[in-house]
Amino acid sequence: MAGSFVANLFGRSPVRPLQKHFKEAAACARELTPFMEAVLKGDWSAADAARERIVSKEQVADDMKKDVRLNLPDNLWMPVPRADLLDLLMVQDRVANTAKDVSGIVIGRRMTFPVEVGDALMKLVRRCVDAVDQAERGVNELDELFETGFRGAEVDLVEELIDQLDAIEDDTDQLQAEVRAALFLREKDLPPVDVVFMYRAIEWIGEVGDYAQRVGSRLQRLLAR
Amino acid sequence: MEQMTLYIALAAIFGLYMAWAIGANDVANAMATSTGAKAISFKQAVIIAAVFEFAGAVLAGGSVTSTIRSGIVDASLLADTPELMIYGMLAALLAAAVWLNIASKMGWPVSTTHSIIGAIVGFAAVGIGTEAVHWGKVGQIVMSWVVSPVVAGTFAFFIFRSVQVLILDRTDPIARARRFVPAYMLVAAFMIVMMTLTKGLSHVGLDLTTRQNLMISVAMAIAVAIAGKLIIDRIQVDPKADRKFRFATVERIFGVLMVITACSMAFAHGSNDVANAVGPVAAVISVASTGMVEGRSAVSPWVLLLGGGGIVLGLATYGRQVMRTVGQKITALTPSRGFAAEMSAASTIVLASSTGLPISTTHTLVGAVLGVGIARGISAINLTVIRNIFLSWLITVPAGAVLAVIFFFILRAVL
């Protein structure tokens, strides 16, 4: 004699797994700061170590993503559309993926950025990581959002977080333009193929911030009914 | 006369078996929301369930027992053959208990109420004749199976919405919870005390006027609310838990409230579902001891005691184990949700019990949970289970009926 169908009535809540996934993805993106610092110093062994951490964290996040997906079958009835949650999960995962891509292209080509570019580049990386941190703050509000049923004071609070995230992302666009401008001034003295890939790396770093912002816009979509 | 003693003994054994099955399994459903929300421990749940199930069964279980005993089968048709009534009720009890056993082994979501009603209707329609069934009453009962989850769901929706508007959606939910949760306690306590007084105390021989009932209920409810308020005021804000989840302290305050609603739920379950076991027993006893099938008379208290005892026995032997399984499975349920679901389910069941309608406790609770879900209160509900519940509505009644008919013919041949 066992079994109660009141207990079976409840599916596994997607909230904690989603939060854990982004915690891992954000930690992965945060490793970009020590990684780029090492690269700019020319300390390749430190860069390799940071790259290792990025890859392993991305892998962990990837496994979590699969786990969340498997636990969101389409027979669940949730206060928010299932498609929106899966979308949020995908964008969260992109943050880690892009960070891995950046580290891959930089280490693969042993990129040595000109000193003049370096400062601006570090600023860009830090600001993108800020965007990721802000996005994580938003995702951390998910459990509170489910608790309040996506209503009231909690919604205003999350809206505020998302506004701040948008402002940070605007900064990263600005900083990205500055890095490009600094590189443009020096590009004629550098091997052309290297320059092409440097532009690409800069673009991808900017994308880390973009995806962080998109995490925010996916959250916003959950708020809108 | 010896034959009659045998009948009574058989009825008592089958009734005890059925009550034990209800206690072992059904109570877990009634208490699932409390243990799932971690508002009370398993040990506390078992104690609360034992005390309040027993109280509900003995004090308020009479009306529904009468309905099951004599409301479904037209007794006047059996005046010449009273033993048919005895065989039928014994068969119905056995059929319902066996069906429950099979179903819980297979993990099917069936209702004890549906099983016993199906079984009684089955033996009466086939064993005696379709004209022996009070179809009007049966229709009313079946209607209530549809209506009660809907009513509970609506209650739950509005109760949970009020929790949102008054507490959760504010900027200062902790302060608001401290203020409003005692008010919810007041309402819950008033409901359960009022119900006990109006329905229950006449069994014990105490007859109070409505005015006296009201006054006692209000006094008791205020006492409970004040006690609750004192406990709530002693709950400290836990900054560490609140940093991780800002509503952690709020939920702990709701946890205190859930203890009250858990009591109400156990009481409500006892008042309605004990009848499933003791209704047929009471019918057999009244026929066997008087030798004739009479209409209505009061259900003797010792039958209700037998049912209450059986439920507690089931709880003691299996309840802890089942409740633990259930409690571990529910993770999505917080005390604020569990409270809304239990409060509305308990009110609906108590209301139905007082009109004598046998309804399915578990299905009502499921309806209440869905009501909270409609208010966007639950993070994930498994729709497959809902579908299975609807299917079980369709299957259990005929299954109980067929089994009852089989047992009826066997018993008639053997006894």
Side-chain angles (χ1 to χ4, degrees), chain A residues 16 36 48 56 62 90 99 102 111 117 154-155 160 177 183 190 198 207 216:
Chain A
R16 298 280 173 198
M36 287 307 290
D48 275 331
S56 80
D62 220 40
M90 189 193 73
V102 169
M111 269 181 204
V117 181
E154 180 60 30
V155 171
E160 177 65 28
L183 183 59
L190 299 166
M198 278 178 194
E207 272 179 17

Side-chain angles (χ1 to χ4, degrees), chain B residues 178-200:
Chain B
R178 285 196 206 279
R179 196 184 324 156
F180 286 107
V181 166
Y184 286 118
M185 285 178 169
L186 189 97
V187 177
F190 177 79
M191 184 197 77
I192 180 173
V193 177
M194 188 68 191
M195 175 64 204
T196 318
L197 291 177
T198 48
K199 294 311 289 184

Side-chain angles (χ1 to χ4, degrees), chain A residues 23-45:
Chain A
K23 197 178 170 202
E24 196 64 32
C28 173
R30 264 195 288 277
E31 289 292 343
L32 276 181
T33 315
F35 172 77
M36 287 307 290
E37 272 167 356
V39 168
L40 291 174
K41 266 190 251 155
D43 182 353
W44 289 106
S45 66

Side-chain angles (χ1 to χ4, degrees), chain B residues 51-124:
Chain B
V51 172
F52 283 87
E53 290 274 347
F54 192 77
V58 175
L59 294 178
S63 313
V64 184
T65 304
S66 298
T67 304
I68 290 196
R69 189 187 61 155
S70 51
I72 298 169
V73 183
D74 186 355
S76 62
L77 285 175
L78 291 169
D80 302 330
T81 50
E83 68 278 6
L84 279 188
M85 184 69 153
I86 293 176
Y87 301 151
M89 284 299 178
L90 288 177
L93 260 184
L94 203 56
V98 165
W99 174 245
L100 277 183
N101 248 358
I102 296 173
S104 21
K105 282 250 161 59
M106 308 296 284
W108 297 332
V110 305
S111 151
T112 47
T113 308
H114 297 183
S115 315
I116 194 77
I117 302 286
I120 292 177
V121 171
F123 100 76

Side-chain angles (χ1 to χ4, degrees), chain A residues 1-16 74-81 140-141 143-154 157 222-225, chain B residues 25 29 101 104 109-110 161 164 168-171 244-247 251 322 326 329-330 333-334 336-337 362-363 369-370 373-376 378-386 389:
Chain A
M1 295 222 125
S4 145
F5 56 99
V6 174
N8 295 332
L9 192 60
F10 299 94
R12 200 175 106 178
S13 166
V15 181
R16 298 280 173 198
D74 65 359
N75 61 356
L76 284 188
W77 177 40
M78 293 182 288
V80 289
N140 276 340
E141 292 300 318
D143 46 357
E144 278 87 359
L145 280 173
F146 271 86
E147 168 77 13
T148 56
F150 294 85
R151 285 190 175 97
E154 180 60 30
L157 193 141
L222 295 183
L223 301 183
R225 278 182 302 147
Chain B
N25 227 309
N29 284 326
N101 248 358
S104 21
V110 305
R161 282 294 288 138
Q164 286 183 320
L168 295 178
D169 295 350
R170 298 308 183 103
T171 45
K244 245 176 88 190
F245 178 59
R246 258 199 315 289
F247 292 90
E251 288 297 353
V322 177
V326 171
K329 266 193 167 163
I330 299 184
L333 205 66
T334 52
S336 56
R337 275 71 177 158
T362 317
H363 289 190
V369 168
L370 292 186
I374 290 169
R376 305 182 97 195
I378 292 172
S379 53
I381 286 177
N382 194 337
L383 287 179
T384 317
V385 176
I386 310 282
I389 289 170

Side-chain angles (χ1 to χ4, degrees), chain A residues 12 14-27 60-61 64 67-68 92 136 139-140 142:
Chain A
R12 200 175 106 178
V15 181
R16 298 280 173 198
L18 267 171
Q19 290 180 325
K20 271 169 80 181
H21 173 265
F22 197 59
K23 197 178 170 202
E24 196 64 32
V60 173
M64 284 180 176
D67 188 48
V68 179
Q92 285 185 175
E136 196 183 356
V139 172
N140 276 340
L142 260 183

Side-chain angles (χ1 to χ4, degrees), chain A residues 131-223:
Chain A
V132 173
D133 288 343
Q134 184 69 14
E136 196 183 356
R137 257 170 239 135
V139 172
N140 276 340
E141 292 300 318
L142 260 183
D143 46 357
E144 278 87 359
L145 280 173
F146 271 86
E147 168 77 13
T148 56
F150 294 85
R151 285 190 175 97
E154 180 60 30
V155 171
D156 300 338
L157 193 141
V158 176
E159 297 267 10
E160 177 65 28
L161 286 179
I162 293 170
D163 284 348
Q164 287 164 7
L165 175 57
D166 288 346
I168 296 173
E169 205 272 339
D170 281 348
D171 284 355
T172 66
D173 286 346
Q174 180 62 34
L175 290 169
Q176 198 182 338
E178 283 169 26
V179 181
R180 282 173 197 280
L183 183 59
F184 177 69
L185 289 178
R186 290 294 314 276
E187 67 179 24
K188 288 178 194 63
D189 314 328
L190 299 166
V193 178
D194 284 6
V195 172
V196 169
F197 283 100
M198 278 178 194
Y199 277 118
R200 183 163 295 172
I202 293 165
E203 192 186 318
W204 286 356
I205 291 171
E207 272 179 17
V208 173
D210 278 350
Y211 281 120
Q213 187 207 18
R214 273 197 234 172
V215 168
S217 54
R218 290 303 184 280
L219 277 177
Q220 204 153 34
R221 196 194 282 182
L222 295 183
L223 301 183

